[in-house]
Amino acid sequence: MASSLLGHNSTKPAQTTSKDITQLIGQMLRTQSDNRERAVIEKIRSQYTLTPSSPVAQSLDRLLRLVTKRLYTRETHFLLELLGNADDNFYVDGVRPEVHIEMRPDSSGQCLLWVKNNEQGFRDVDVEAMCSVANSTKQSRGGSIGRMGIGWKSVFMVAKRVQVHSNGFHFAFDSSVGQIGYIMPIWVTERRHFLCPKSTNFLLELKGGKEGLVQDLLRSVQPELLLFLRKLEVITLSDASGWQARLEKEVSDDVATLSYHEIAMPHVHSPRALSSSTSPTPADASSPADADVGEERKAAGGPGPMRRAFRLLTHDAPIPMKFADYGTATPVSLAVPLGLAPQDLVSEEQVLCAYLPVRLYGFRVILQANFELTTSRDNILESHDWNRWLRYQFTELFVRLVQTTPFSSQLLELLPQEADLQVPTFWAHPVRVCLQQLTQVPFIPTISGALRTPKDVCRLDPAVQDLVMAGAANESHGDLFHREPMALTGPLSERAERLLVEGLRVQLFGVEELLNFLKRHQQFALAQDHHWSRRFLLLFAGQEDLSPEVQNLLQALPVVCLASGEMAPLRGRTVFLPPPPQLDLPLDRSCVPSGVPVCGVDVVHPHVAGEGAVAALLVGLGVRPLVAAEVVSGHVLPSLLRGWLRDEDRRKGA
């Protein structure tokens, strides 16, 4: 009888192999394990034995519906929650933390989203926390991305049923039974063949019509998501079309290198940056960063490896006693996107992070800190005392940034400005404090070669720089500048100029300052030549709205070079424009024969008045065209008359 039950021929003894024994022992162990883990699930289910029609069950259902509706207004939020949970997990030493996310069709035709994480696996306490609200196991862990115990429920924005397979636990949450299904587990006996028993597996059965949304979301993920995650180093993505992508992070010294390797079908678009505050960007709303990505990928011959580097600066800010629950110190970080060359800095608006992207606030560097966020992770809690203290802790990082980065217009572009802020009520004062601190830091190079603080330098307006520096190089004018001029190798952007003058309080030395200096020190102008005179007058040429004060100064200052080489004022003398070149008249008094009485005729140097706009300016200031009749009647004849009278006086005296 025993032989027939085992399916063996009664005339032949049964043979039990070592393989059979191994399989039998494995089955017994799995059954025993399932019994233990299943008992945990059944114990949790016993807490939700209310009938769906009971008043308590209906109240709980309405509460969960209200919470999920208000917390998760964007369907894309669930992906950030899954990645944040993976980063908070525990990993075996020597294992490279990794998450694999894959869309795949089910045999029944529905679409599944499989999330696999090579963490240590679920414990009883983790299962209990997942089956509750606001009972996270991470509340006591400083620096954890999630602490509220409700973020994981955002998966139900796109999924109708979610299975969890981890460390012997196999259970599901089913929203078809109502909102109570978000927290009431169901034991799962079916185990799909592709699940990895050594990893934690989530299997999301997507709602109808959500496949396109999830597919676009996966293709929009960029490697910047890994930048501030403390554990995760690899994310792999794929969908049913054959598209695959691998995102990796490597950190060496203070530089984090993020790589993106895509195997894409011809119709698949390039990745776009993912922010928790936005849904996937439409294809016709690409950003400048997307264009750069496209060019890099095109230069590389289409889809393929792409790398982005970020310089990382981190500061452990000591925590005041009033926030002792957060520990003794909290890390704050600043990341600067680097260009193709190590010295190149990329200046464009960057997202603020609380380990994962939160939103744009108007900064040109990526700021990271352990901010307390709204439950939907799309904003900083502005009224939270911890956040109001934490926002000031980035000043130390900006000081280190300017101290360790060669000065350039690109560096100035990275510094914060109030005009850029999207939430000035929260960030304006910290930015002012930061800029005030930077005014005390010697990081600006000057013409002497020394580094000076912003309050000790002046910015020469490019329009007057050559005029001022040419004179300063030839003469010793110690009081030309109250502050030492900056040394720059190239022009500054309008934004950088505004930061210097308005934010860092660097003194601007421009046309007005030059005029004021020349009023006090006319000897500076008297020492110049016709080249300097021409460049100076070009500052005002073509301007139709010169104020009377400026016109008076231009007439009174010795800024017009005459044909004789003398720098002279226009006021109190008659000055002529040079004659047309075809007349070939001698303009320099030293070239005129001694017998020709042309004394008293002053002519502007031809190099100065050669520009039509300068000539028009001079005419407006009282310089006259060189007309022969006027010269003869107004200068030659009076000179001859004075000479005749002198001769007559000499004869009479003789």
Side-chain angles (χ1 to χ4, degrees):
M1 176 67 71
S3 297
S4 62
L5 287 175
L6 293 174
H8 296 292
N9 190 305
S10 59
T11 63
K12 196 171 184 179
Q15 299 290 327
T16 302
T17 65
S18 60
K19 181 178 180 181
D20 294 331
I21 295 175
T22 301
Q23 290 177 345
L24 182 60
I25 293 173
Q27 183 178 358
M28 292 174 61
L29 291 175
R30 284 195 299 273
T31 302
Q32 187 177 22
S33 175
D34 277 3
N35 289 338
R36 194 197 74 79
E37 278 81 22
R38 185 166 186 169
V40 174
I41 298 300
E42 294 302 329
K43 179 182 177 181
I44 296 173
R45 282 182 58 82
S46 67
Q47 302 171 13
Y48 302 108
T49 54
L50 301 171
T51 60
S53 59
S54 68
V56 175
Q58 291 181 352
S59 297
L60 182 59
D61 185 87
R62 287 193 296 271
L63 175 62
L64 287 169
R65 190 184 305 275
L66 179 64
V67 168
T68 53
K69 181 178 180 181
R70 291 193 174 182
L71 292 186
Y72 308 118
T73 57
R74 285 181 305 280
E75 296 173 315
T76 59
H77 178 80
F78 78 95
L79 183 58
L80 294 177
E81 288 292 344
L82 290 172
L83 293 174
N85 286 337
D87 196 59
D88 285 331
N89 289 335
F90 295 100
Y91 296 85
V92 176
D93 292 342
V95 171
R96 193 178 190 193
E98 179 175 349
V99 167
H100 173 73
I101 304 176
E102 177 181 343
M103 292 183 68
R104 55 188 304 149
D106 194 6
S107 57
S108 63
Q110 73 172 342
C111 186
L112 303 175
L113 184 67
W114 175 32
V115 181
K116 180 181 66 172
N117 177 213
N118 61 346
E119 61 132 347
Q120 288 185 1
F122 272 39
R123 304 162 298 170
D124 293 5
V125 66
D126 298 318
V127 177
E128 292 169 358
M130 182 172 279
C131 299
S132 62
V133 177
N135 187 29
S136 172
T137 60
K138 297 178 281 186
Q139 290 178 345
S140 59
R141 279 192 255 160
S144 294
I145 296 174
R147 291 193 289 275
M148 300 292 288
I150 52 180
W152 184 85
K153 277 76 174 176
S154 62
V155 295
F156 291 104
M157 296 294 289
V158 296
K160 57 186 178 183
R161 191 168 187 266
V162 181
Q163 295 184 23
V164 182
H165 302 271
S166 176
N167 202 22
F169 288 99
H170 306 277
F171 58 97
F173 298 98
D174 193 340
S175 64
S176 65
V177 300
Q179 305 293 317
I180 192 69
Y182 289 9
I183 58 176
M184 185 173 66
I186 305 169
W187 186 256
V188 174
T189 57
E190 177 190 8
R191 319 286 163 77
R192 287 178 168 82
H193 68 89
F194 55 82
L195 297 177
C196 181
K198 295 183 179 181
S199 298
T200 292
N201 302 262
F202 293 95
L203 207 57
L204 281 64
E205 300 175 15
L206 298 181
K207 297 177 180 178
K210 300 299 182 183
E211 297 89 346
L213 169 76
V214 174
Q215 184 176 29
D216 285 345
L217 180 60
L218 294 185
R219 294 176 182 177
S220 73
V221 175
Q222 283 200 334
E224 281 81 352
L225 274 179
L226 288 168
L227 190 56
F228 294 112
L229 293 180
R230 298 153 304 139
K231 299 176 184 177
L232 270 187
E233 296 181 4
V234 180
I235 300 174
T236 56
L237 308 164
S238 64
D239 64 23
S241 72
W243 172 87
Q244 300 176 33
R246 181 179 177 87
L247 295 72
E248 294 188 67
K249 176 177 67 175
E250 297 178 357
V251 180
S252 177
D253 296 328
D254 64 345
V255 175
T257 302
L258 307 178
S259 63
Y260 184 99
H261 185 205
E262 182 184 68
I263 303 173
M265 303 300 287
H267 65 276
V268 175
H269 55 262
S270 296
R272 296 183 296 265
L274 173 67
S275 168
S276 67
S277 61
T278 57
S279 298
T281 309
D284 60 349
S286 59
S287 67
D290 301 332
D292 294 339
V293 170
E295 290 302 317
E296 291 176 18
R297 297 169 67 80
K298 186 184 299 182
M306 178 184 66
R307 288 180 174 269
R308 292 177 181 170
F310 295 81
R311 183 182 172 202
L312 299 179
L313 298 175
T314 300
H315 167 59
D316 288 327
I319 297 177
M321 284 300 298
K322 65 180 294 187
F323 302 120
D325 289 346
Y326 290 88
T328 58
T330 183
V332 292
S333 301
L334 177 154
V336 180
L338 302 177
L340 297 179
Q343 69 274 14
D344 291 342
L345 306 176
V346 177
S347 175
E348 57 189 26
E349 191 173 8
Q350 303 292 338
V351 70
L352 180 139
C353 295
Y355 299 105
L356 288 169
V358 179
R359 56 162 291 182
L360 297 172
Y361 278 99
F363 295 99
R364 298 296 183 98
V365 296
I366 304 175
L367 301 181
Q368 148 68 29
N370 187 26
F371 287 108
E372 295 288 354
L373 306 177
T374 58
T375 312
S376 56
R377 287 193 56 85
D378 59 359
N379 267 302
I380 292 173
L381 288 169
E382 297 176 22
S383 60
H384 199 291
D385 287 343
W386 165 258
N387 291 338
R388 298 182 72 82
W389 170 80
L390 194 56
R391 59 183 172 163
Y392 288 96
Q393 306 313 307
F394 294 104
T395 295
E396 170 69 21
L397 296 177
F398 280 109
V399 170
R400 283 173 51 192
L401 177 65
V402 301
Q403 288 176 328
T404 58
T405 306
F407 185 85
S408 66
S409 179
Q410 290 176 314
L411 174 61
L412 293 176
E413 290 275 2
L414 299 178
L415 301 182
Q417 294 195 39
E418 282 193 61
D420 298 336
L421 298 176
Q422 295 193 18
V423 187
T425 53
F426 184 77
W427 287 108
H429 190 260
V431 166
R432 287 196 294 269
V433 170
C434 178
L435 293 177
Q436 175 61 33
Q437 183 68 29
L438 291 177
T439 63
Q440 312 296 319
V441 180
F443 73 97
I444 299 181
T446 59
I447 58 175
S448 68
L451 294 177
R452 306 290 186 195
T453 65
K455 64 184 180 63
D456 292 324
V457 301
C458 69
R459 166 68 173 135
L460 292 179
D461 188 324
V464 305
Q465 183 167 349
D466 290 342
L467 293 168
V468 171
M469 298 311 298
N474 296 327
E475 299 289 339
S476 176
H477 297 285
D479 52 357
L480 175 56
F481 310 110
H482 295 294
R483 305 181 182 184
E484 189 175 359
M486 297 170 53
L488 291 175
T489 57
L492 295 179
S493 66
E494 180 180 348
R495 185 177 183 278
E497 293 278 10
R498 184 175 70 245
L499 173 76
L500 280 176
V501 177
E502 298 178 7
L504 298 176
R505 304 302 179 187
V506 170
Q507 183 187 60
L508 179 65
F509 192 100
V511 175
E512 181 179 352
E513 288 73 22
L514 179 59
L515 286 173
N516 290 332
F517 171 76
L518 293 176
K519 281 196 302 183
R520 300 191 306 270
H521 304 282
Q522 295 192 18
Q523 69 273 18
F524 181 88
L526 291 172
Q528 308 309 318
D529 59 13
H530 61 275
H531 297 289
W532 187 95
S533 177
R534 176 177 173 273
R535 292 199 302 269
F536 177 84
L537 294 173
L538 279 172
L539 294 175
F540 309 93
Q543 297 186 27
E544 299 179 355
D545 55 348
L546 286 179
S547 66
E549 181 183 3
V550 172
Q551 293 186 44
N552 289 333
L553 280 174
L554 294 179
Q555 291 172 333
L557 295 174
V559 294
V560 178
C561 185
L562 303 179
S564 63
E566 175 190 1
M567 295 291 293
L570 298 177
R571 182 169 296 165
R573 61 203 307 168
T574 301
V575 181
F576 292 93
L577 293 175
Q582 60 269 25
L583 295 183
D584 194 23
L585 296 179
L587 300 178
D588 191 335
R589 192 187 313 270
S590 62
C591 299
V592 180
S594 58
V596 179
V598 295
C599 57
V601 179
D602 291 318
V603 179
V604 177
H605 196 289
H607 179 79
V608 174
E611 294 281 347
V614 173
L617 171 68
L618 291 171
V619 169
L621 296 174
V623 176
R624 301 180 182 182
L626 190 60
V627 179
E630 183 178 355
V631 173
V632 170
S633 62
H635 295 274
V636 176
L637 291 180
S639 181
L640 289 174
L641 179 59
R642 288 193 297 272
W644 180 78
L645 291 175
R646 284 196 299 272
D647 292 341
E648 285 296 313
D649 289 340
R650 282 197 293 271
R651 282 198 299 272
K652 291 179 180 179

